[in-house]
Structures are given as structure tokens and as C-alpha cells.
Amino acid sequence: VAMATRETIREAAAWRGVWTRLTSRAGSPHPPPEVDWTREMVLVATMGQRRSGGYSIRVESVRRDGGELVAAVVETSPGARCGVIAAITAPADVVIVPRSDAPVRWAVSEIVADCP
């Protein structure tokens, strides 16, 4: 995934496409996690392509706030003193949550790791 994305997926066809995009460089493909589309949906957060390791992204929580869902996302980047692998990475997180037709607002926090 070259660019950072935030996606709310409510149907199987879209999920298959996103899963293929997320895993296309991972060697032999694995089937996507099963989702009961009558009761569940998928949230995907990616950081886009990075030039080294040490980056991560995580959907910390999803909560209802009035008429919307708020997905709290934490993006972590390596600090200047962190040792990182020299490899192209593309951090992503996928969560399956109870289905809702409410819009999703992505609340993103950025953290820089403090390595000794």
C-alpha cells in the first residue's frame, strides 16, 4: 500500500479487493479473515509505504459518539536513536467490528518512539 488509507468496508467484494491489495507482496496469499457481513464490518488503517522498519499502526478502539463511530488510531514512528531494519515496509491494521451504518471518523494520534 503506497499511500496511507482509512477504509470502512461493509461488503464481501470490497473486502476481497482490499485484502488482496494488503497482502499482494506477502508471498503465498492467505485467505482473508471471515466476516459475517450481516453482523460485522471491517475497518482498515494503513500508514503507506515507509523506507525502513520501526513504524507501526494500530486501531486502539472504536466507540459510538452520537451519530458516528470514532476509530482511535495510533501511528508510531521510530525516533532518531532507534535501530531499524533497512527494508521497505507498509504498516497496516485490520479490525472486525459490529456492523453499523453510521459514518466512521478516524481520530489519529502520532507517536515517535523514544529508543535508548
Side-chain angles (χ1 to χ4, degrees):
V1 179
M3 297 178 56
T5 63
R6 308 291 183 260
E7 298 179 68
T8 303
I9 303 160
R10 293 183 172 96
E11 62 177 46
W15 175 224
R16 285 191 299 275
V18 169
W19 184 256
T20 297
R21 189 179 79 236
L22 289 174
T23 61
S24 64
R25 296 179 183 239
S28 61
H30 297 285
E34 289 190 32
V35 178
D36 177 351
W37 296 105
T38 62
R39 296 182 20 230
E40 299 170 322
M41 64 184 191
V42 179
L43 302 181
V44 178
T46 71
M47 287 183 80
Q49 197 171 66
R50 304 298 170 160
R51 291 192 265 184
S52 73
Y55 293 88
S56 66
I57 189 167
R58 191 168 86 220
V59 178
E60 294 259 311
S61 65
V62 179
R63 64 180 171 81
R64 181 166 291 282
D65 184 10
E68 65 184 4
L69 297 178
V70 178
V73 176
V74 176
E75 293 184 349
T76 303
S77 301
R81 297 180 298 177
C82 295
V84 296
I85 188 170
I88 294 175
T89 61
D93 194 18
V94 173
V95 295
I96 299 171
V97 298
R99 185 175 185 86
S100 172
D101 290 329
V104 176
R105 179 168 50 92
W106 299 87
V108 179
S109 301
E110 297 178 2
I111 296 173
V112 176
D114 184 24
C115 299

